[in-house]
Amino acid sequence: VTAAPKAAARRGRPGHDLQAVLDAAVALFTERGYDATSMEDVSRRLGVGKSAIYHHVQSKEQLLGFALDRALDGLAEVVEDTRRLDAPAITRLEHLVRGSVVVLQRELPFVTLLLRVHGNTPVQQQAIDRRRQFDRYAAGLVRQARRDGDVRADIDPAVAARLLFGLVNSLTEWYRPVPKTDPSIAEAVCAIAFHGLRVGAG
Amino acid sequence: VTAAPKAAARRGRPGHDLQAVLDAAVALFTERGYDATSMEDVSRRLGVGKSAIYHHVQSKEQLLGFALDRALDGLAEVVEDTRRLDAPAITRLEHLVRGSVVVLQRELPFVTLLLRVHGNTPVQQQAIDRRRQFDRYAAGLVRQARRDGDVRADIDPAVAARLLFGLVNSLTEWYRPVPKTDPSIAEAVCAIAFHGLRVGAG
């Protein structure tokens, strides 16, 4: 691959060519939809020949898989971190929410793509299965925290888990990355999610 | 229009034919996208001729306008209600959030469509302008509630407003209507948004 301008800046970083291909593909998948995007479109966006793309990936589906894994691997790492915490479920839940916001900020185009996947192909279905594992883990933490008496009993735990991650995922609608990841957004999400917007509420 | 099965159930209700056309169009716009949907697709979905559709609307763009107005008029009504409340900003804000959830539940396909509009046509641009008016009103209430000392001072009011309505709008991702609108969802959203998920938090 002749490095595209965007990729050139990354020269020296391992895998920067595949990285440039992924960035271009994910931008197109999100703008036009996966079905409406061809490998030709990706190569045109990068200003390289199609063969240069096929040097890195075997198919559009594989490209989608790499992109979705980028988001899912980030979230899986947060889950692993959370599992290792020796702390009550409520603390682990807060850690999971905060970590998810940070992954979303760092991998914004990849998480945005993940949230729009509908499971029409095996790769998409696999991504949805991994997302469900994440959701199940989160819902389990809410249930445990509720048994511990640490979260409100007046909300169904499944609804609470959906609302928590609905709040996190809603960031893809308006958050635009700033040069350095802004930690105040993760703090704002956790403050509202766990303590509420009202002063002195409880 | 020969009433489609779904419309038949509404017989006697004024405008039930236009209603059936709107329902079919909105379902198609959301499944395939507005650009990819033709008036022919809408008529085929309804099992009527294209001329029957044009009896009710002049163009696909007008159909989109009616659909978006359905969501926006519902939200505008909640704003009007909220403006009339003789109560502190925090109470009006909570009223606005609760009312928005109820509109979202009642007009789910229309609100879902509204949230996906990107402003590519005059009708879409107009809808986005009306959405922005709503957002500005909500952000103004958060700012006023903060000046009153009723919402936490550690979150930027603009971020807080986005998170509040991100939480509300995230319902379109998973909420599916039950025969009677479920009030517990609106209560759950308000409980988390204003009081937080944690027991005894504040």
Side-chain angles (χ1 to χ4, degrees):
Chain A
V1 171
T2 308
K6 221 175 154 185
R10 289 203 186 80
R11 208 181 292 278
R13 187 172 145 185
H16 75 271
D17 286 348
L18 174 58
Q19 186 51 51
V21 175
L22 269 184
D23 287 344
V26 167
L28 286 165
F29 293 164
T30 303
E31 283 163 29
R32 308 180 187 178
Y34 175 71
D35 293 328
T37 302
S38 68
M39 289 295 258
E40 183 111 19
D41 295 330
V42 178
S43 69
R44 213 174 298 129
R45 172 71 58 111
L46 279 168
V48 302
K50 255 201 326 194
S51 64
I53 308 262
Y54 282 109
H55 178 71
H56 294 286
V57 288
Q58 285 161 22
S59 62
K60 188 173 80 162
E61 183 83 354
Q62 194 186 38
L63 201 47
L64 178 67
F66 284 157
L68 295 173
D69 280 346
R70 173 83 165 259
L72 288 161
D73 290 349
L75 294 171
E77 227 173 277
V78 176
V79 168
E80 277 319 298
D81 261 19
T82 305
R83 280 189 204 280
R84 273 195 296 265
L85 272 187
D86 184 21
I90 183 72
T91 309
R92 282 184 285 145
L93 185 62
E94 193 159 336
H95 191 267
L96 187 70
V97 168
R98 185 176 283 108
S100 299
V101 173
V102 171
V103 169
L104 183 147
Q105 289 178 296
R106 196 182 64 212
E107 311 290 4
L108 184 63
F110 301 96
V111 176
T112 303
L113 183 68
L114 175 66
L115 295 178
R116 294 189 189 173
V117 147
H118 286 296
N120 308 327
T121 65
V123 160
Q124 292 179 42
Q125 195 48 59
Q126 216 178 353
I128 288 184
D129 290 345
R130 287 187 72 188
R131 245 194 98 180
R132 287 216 180 106
Q133 279 173 31
F134 180 94
D135 291 345
R136 266 197 300 272
Y137 177 66
L141 283 180
V142 176
R143 272 195 308 275
Q144 182 59 51
R146 195 184 189 217
R147 277 193 297 267
D148 297 344
D150 286 329
V151 309
R152 17 191 342 134
D154 59 347
I155 302 179
D156 177 75
V159 169
R162 281 183 189 279
L163 289 176
L164 274 186
F165 286 88
L167 178 60
V168 171
N169 295 338
S170 73
L171 287 173
T172 58
E173 297 296 324
W174 60 270
Y175 178 75
R176 293 299 166 262
V178 282
K180 218 176 135 245
T181 290
D182 182 356
S184 72
I185 299 286
E187 293 316 312
V189 169
C190 283
I192 290 185
F194 295 100
H195 304 280
L197 191 60
R198 248 183 203 269
V199 164
Chain B
V1 171
T2 306
K6 221 173 152 185
R10 290 204 185 81
R11 208 181 293 278
R13 188 173 145 183
H16 74 271
D17 286 347
L18 173 59
Q19 186 52 51
V21 174
L22 269 184
D23 286 344
V26 167
L28 287 165
F29 294 164
T30 303
E31 283 164 30
R32 308 181 186 176
Y34 175 70
D35 293 329
T37 302
S38 67
M39 289 295 259
E40 182 111 21
D41 294 330
V42 177
S43 70
R44 214 175 296 131
R45 172 71 59 109
L46 279 168
V48 301
K50 257 202 323 194
S51 63
I53 310 262
Y54 283 109
H55 179 70
H56 294 286
V57 288
Q58 285 160 22
S59 63
K60 189 174 78 160
E61 184 83 354
Q62 194 186 37
L63 201 46
L64 178 68
F66 284 157
L68 295 174
D69 281 345
R70 174 82 166 259
L72 288 160
D73 290 348
L75 293 171
E77 227 173 276
V78 176
V79 168
E80 277 319 298
D81 261 19
T82 305
R83 280 190 203 280
R84 272 194 296 264
L85 272 187
D86 184 21
I90 183 72
T91 309
R92 281 184 285 144
L93 185 62
E94 193 159 337
H95 192 268
L96 188 69
V97 168
R98 184 176 284 108
S100 300
V101 174
V102 171
V103 169
L104 184 146
Q105 290 179 295
R106 197 181 63 210
E107 311 288 5
L108 185 63
F110 300 96
V111 176
T112 303
L113 183 68
L114 175 66
L115 295 177
R116 294 190 188 172
V117 147
H118 286 296
N120 307 327
T121 64
V123 161
Q124 292 178 44
Q125 195 47 59
Q126 215 179 352
I128 287 183
D129 290 345
R130 287 188 71 188
R131 245 194 98 179
R132 288 217 179 105
Q133 280 173 31
F134 180 94
D135 291 345
R136 266 196 299 272
Y137 178 65
L141 283 180
V142 176
R143 273 195 307 276
Q144 183 58 51
R146 197 185 189 216
R147 276 193 297 267
D148 297 344
D150 286 328
V151 309
R152 19 193 337 136
D154 59 347
I155 301 179
D156 177 75
V159 169
R162 281 182 189 279
L163 288 176
L164 273 187
F165 286 88
L167 179 60
V168 171
N169 295 338
S170 73
L171 287 174
T172 58
E173 296 297 323
W174 60 270
Y175 178 74
R176 293 300 166 258
V178 282
K180 218 174 136 249
T181 291
D182 182 356
S184 72
I185 300 286
E187 293 316 312
V189 169
C190 283
I192 290 185
F194 294 99
H195 304 279
L197 191 61
R198 249 184 203 268
V199 164

